[in-house]
Amino acid sequence: MEKVKNELVFFGGLHTVGGVHVLFGRGNTGLMFDFGLKLTPTLFNHAVKPHPKKEIQQLLYTRLAPPILGLYDVERVKDVNEDGLQNMWKMNSFPEYSNLQIFISHMHQDHMALLPYAKENIPVYMHNDAHSLYKGLTKSNEKLLSKAKIVGLEHGEKVTFEDFELTLFEVDHNSPGTSGFILESPEYTIAFTGDWRWHGRHPERIDRFIQECKQREIDVLITEGTRIRNETLWDHQKTKKEQTVLEEFTSILQMKPGKLYVNVHPRDVERLVDFMMLALESGRSFVLSKQVATTLYHSLIEGISVLKEHPIINRLAEINVLSESTEGLNDLPFQAISTDEIKRSPEKYCIHCMYEDLPLVSEFEVDVKSNKPSYYVHADSPPLRNNDPLLLEWLKNFNVEYHYLSNRGHAQPEEVSYFVNEIKPKVVIPLHSPQPSLLVTDTALKYCPYYGESVIINELIDGKSKGEFK
Ligand SMILES: [Zn+2]
Ligand SMILES: [Zn+2]
């Protein structure tokens, strides 16, 4: 089969939230965006996991990783049955490019979790702030280390490939450095949003992205549409702004609960440090696990641009790490604190307690007789939905009050429509959504590719691709 030189190939994240794998191919260059992993709901869950020694094979065989073997560490894929892989994808061949590269939009695992399997020295582009967070994550979890050559970029920075160039643009999302890009070739322009919202800390980035797209007259816009689904399509309630979430947390602190557990996503570094400051100002200091403390500290010292002047930088010594000894805390500027110390004066602390940390609640609650209620604040961290049954069961068992503070990381369906209508691309490809075809647009042709589909870009723009335009 003749090699296609001008294509978009869609491997993942088309009808799921996360796991977007789109290969752009032009000349000898194949650029994969993104490189993450959507594990649930798929054939895997917390109990059914890929075998530790054959992870990437099993992820490839279940179509959770893009089947371009040149993207991966040679050692890890040397035993992969490529004929079998083609059989799984019902494809006679896979695209081949001598110059493969990767773009990662941000540090949520559904966009970056395949990084540890990446090929030695393969260039991986990401925003510098995402790179700092990645370095923090690898300090606390060596399994995330990668042999790839990570290239950190600033907002507006360009990378030139053969006859086309990619410019990175920051967007608004709940992880530092989240970015999309605009790709310009002599024949067409393509914009990719990564994950985005319009109600977060940086809505101006979305306004700016629209302006940049308008100036370049985008032919193909690939946008995420997480909230485009039957049950939310007619939901016109405005999503809370980030400032409102901070105010709600302040109100909770003012209620002066006894013990206060907080589940905020450690990769939402901006919210985490704001919560820490609010807690400190109310007389409570945060208690982190060693893992979260390590990630946070190393991300901050690597440098997250928007946090360079953050007041938490001067108050790191007031942060505690839950640990029965100071062992292993040498490189951290935090204090070790034991469970017993916290139990003696719980109103002085705010205990970071993620989903997997829930058993800690039993240790803290088992023998304490207090007239003050304990609170659990759940603020956009797994489990992402409100009222998770297991979480509620834990809290009910120990009589802990549940407070759900959430504003989500993604735009509302009507905002996605407005965004597309402003940019006016010739074709829009919505993905990272359970029901992308429900996106409503004015003039743009809407194209929903199928898994493994290769689209010739010029044909797509002319409305002649063989799949269905909506
Ligand atoms: Zn995502
Ligand atoms: Zn995300």
Side-chain angles (χ1 to χ4, degrees):
M1 192 178 152
E2 201 193 333
K3 199 189 331 176
V4 179
K5 293 287 189 186
N6 225 341
E7 64 178 352
L8 283 166
V9 195
F10 297 88
F11 290 113
L14 306 179
H15 298 92
T16 53
V17 173
V20 169
H21 304 131
V22 179
L23 180 73
F24 167 73
R26 184 171 171 88
N28 296 313
T29 305
L31 183 63
M32 173 61 64
F33 40 93
D34 268 312
F35 207 47
L37 197 50
K38 172 76 183 159
L39 272 186
T40 51
T42 62
L43 294 170
F44 296 98
N45 67 16
H46 293 295
V48 184
K49 295 179 189 170
H51 188 283
K53 291 211 163 74
K54 299 178 194 163
E55 280 171 339
I56 194 62
Q57 275 110 305
Q58 295 179 354
L59 294 172
L60 282 161
Y61 293 160
T62 49
R63 292 183 299 263
L64 291 172
I68 310 295
L69 296 186
L71 294 166
Y72 303 99
D73 180 355
V74 179
E75 271 306 297
R76 291 189 189 247
V77 293
K78 66 180 192 307
D79 297 327
V80 167
N81 171 351
E82 204 170 351
D83 288 343
L85 200 52
Q86 287 175 8
N87 180 45
M88 284 309 298
W89 279 92
K90 308 250 182 291
M91 290 170 80
N92 298 324
S93 65
F94 295 126
E96 283 179 32
Y97 289 95
S98 54
N99 178 26
L100 283 167
Q101 316 215 11
I102 297 170
F103 175 88
I104 287 186
S105 62
H106 64 296
M107 281 300 119
H108 282 155
Q109 76 119 27
D110 59 315
H111 297 262
M112 55 67 76
L114 293 172
L115 205 38
Y117 312 110
K119 188 175 185 167
E120 191 171 352
N121 288 326
I122 189 169
V124 177
Y125 303 97
M126 63 176 74
H127 189 288
N128 277 324
D129 288 350
H131 192 195
S132 292
L133 175 53
Y134 175 66
K135 287 191 236 176
L137 291 164
T138 58
K139 285 279 184 187
S140 63
N141 182 2
E142 284 188 357
K143 281 177 73 184
L144 287 175
L145 283 167
S146 174
K147 295 178 181 171
K149 185 179 85 185
I150 296 176
V151 183
L153 301 174
E154 287 298 314
H155 166 77
E157 198 170 336
K158 278 184 177 30
V159 186
T160 303
F161 300 88
E162 294 166 64
D163 68 342
F164 67 92
E165 58 184 25
L166 174 151
T167 312
L168 175 138
F169 294 102
E170 292 166 337
V171 297
D172 183 22
H173 188 50
N174 50 356
S175 185
T178 303
S179 302
F181 63 73
I182 298 177
L183 195 150
E184 294 167 273
S185 85
E187 294 161 274
Y188 45 74
T189 51
I190 298 175
F192 173 70
T193 63
D195 282 1
W196 67 276
R197 60 180 174 178
W198 225 329
H199 56 271
R201 292 163 179 271
H202 311 288
E204 73 290 348
R205 293 180 184 173
I206 300 301
D207 300 326
R208 187 174 61 191
F209 190 77
I210 290 175
Q211 291 312 318
E212 299 284 355
C213 285
K214 278 182 166 172
Q215 276 170 25
R216 291 166 174 83
E217 297 186 358
I218 298 302
D219 293 303
V220 181
L221 170 66
I222 303 173
T223 179
E224 70 115 326
T226 305
R227 291 167 72 182
I228 300 171
R229 55 182 91 198
N230 261 334
E231 63 273 25
T232 48
L233 201 57
W234 308 111
D235 179 5
H236 293 298
Q237 212 181 356
K238 278 271 168 251
T239 311
K240 261 181 233 167
K241 300 250 187 264
E242 184 69 10
Q243 187 56 33
T244 310
V245 174
L246 297 178
E247 284 161 14
E248 287 176 350
F249 184 56
T250 305
S251 307
I252 286 172
L253 290 163
Q254 285 165 351
M255 288 190 259
K256 300 193 184 304
K259 278 181 284 322
L260 177 59
Y261 307 95
V262 177
N263 182 5
V264 52
H265 202 310
R267 297 187 193 194
D268 189 351
V269 188
E270 288 175 77
R271 179 180 286 181
L272 178 61
V273 297
D274 273 359
F275 270 37
M276 285 178 162
M277 277 311 299
L278 291 171
L280 277 173
E281 283 159 10
S282 80
R284 286 178 184 263
S285 71
F286 251 72
V287 180
L288 302 173
S289 67
K290 194 175 144 209
Q291 183 165 15
V292 173
T294 305
T295 300
L296 175 67
Y297 176 63
H298 287 280
S299 305
L300 289 175
I301 58 166
E302 288 294 341
I304 291 179
S305 54
V306 284
L307 299 178
K308 285 237 160 76
E309 314 270 306
H310 197 280
I312 200 71
I313 306 286
N314 296 321
R315 301 191 66 174
L316 295 179
E318 294 170 67
I319 308 294
N320 299 282
V321 179
L322 186 60
S323 175
E324 304 308 316
S325 73
T326 51
E327 201 186 326
L329 300 181
N330 297 345
D331 60 340
L332 299 176
F334 310 134
Q335 305 171 37
I337 191 163
S338 69
T339 313
D340 284 339
E341 277 175 88
I342 298 169
K343 279 161 76 168
R344 279 197 286 276
S345 28
E347 66 288 346
K348 288 189 187 163
Y349 303 100
C350 199
I351 306 157
H352 191 247
C353 182
M354 295 167 68
Y355 198 33
E356 60 267 36
D357 302 324
L358 277 173
L360 265 184
V361 172
S362 67
E363 287 184 48
F364 283 114
E365 299 293 332
V366 68
D367 59 354
V368 178
K369 293 173 188 63
S370 165
N371 1 348
K372 288 191 171 181
S374 298
Y375 286 4
Y376 186 93
V377 173
H378 183 194
D380 292 302
S381 185
L384 290 173
R385 295 262 170 264
N386 195 355
N387 293 323
D388 174 80
L390 185 67
L391 171 58
L392 291 192
E393 199 55 37
W394 271 93
L395 304 186
K396 195 174 87 187
N397 236 282
F398 292 99
N399 203 20
V400 177
E401 242 182 79
Y402 182 56
H403 293 265
Y404 184 64
L405 304 191
S406 162
N407 68 345
R408 319 278 306 272
H410 305 274
Q412 288 179 239
E414 60 192 12
E415 289 175 321
V416 183
S417 296
Y418 181 80
F419 175 82
V420 175
N421 293 339
E422 282 289 300
I423 292 174
K424 295 189 176 56
K426 292 196 178 110
V427 180
V428 59
I429 299 176
L431 36 68
H432 195 289
S433 157
Q435 288 159 301
S437 64
L438 294 180
L439 171 69
V440 177
T441 62
D442 282 352
T443 54
L445 284 173
K446 186 170 53 180
Y447 194 72
C448 297
Y450 56 84
Y451 286 89
E453 180 174 355
S454 161
V455 173
I456 311 289
I457 295 167
N458 313 67
E459 291 179 8
L460 175 73
I461 296 167
D462 293 340
K464 290 181 183 151
S465 285
K466 58 183 184 292
E468 198 181 341
F469 285 91
K470 310 264 183 201

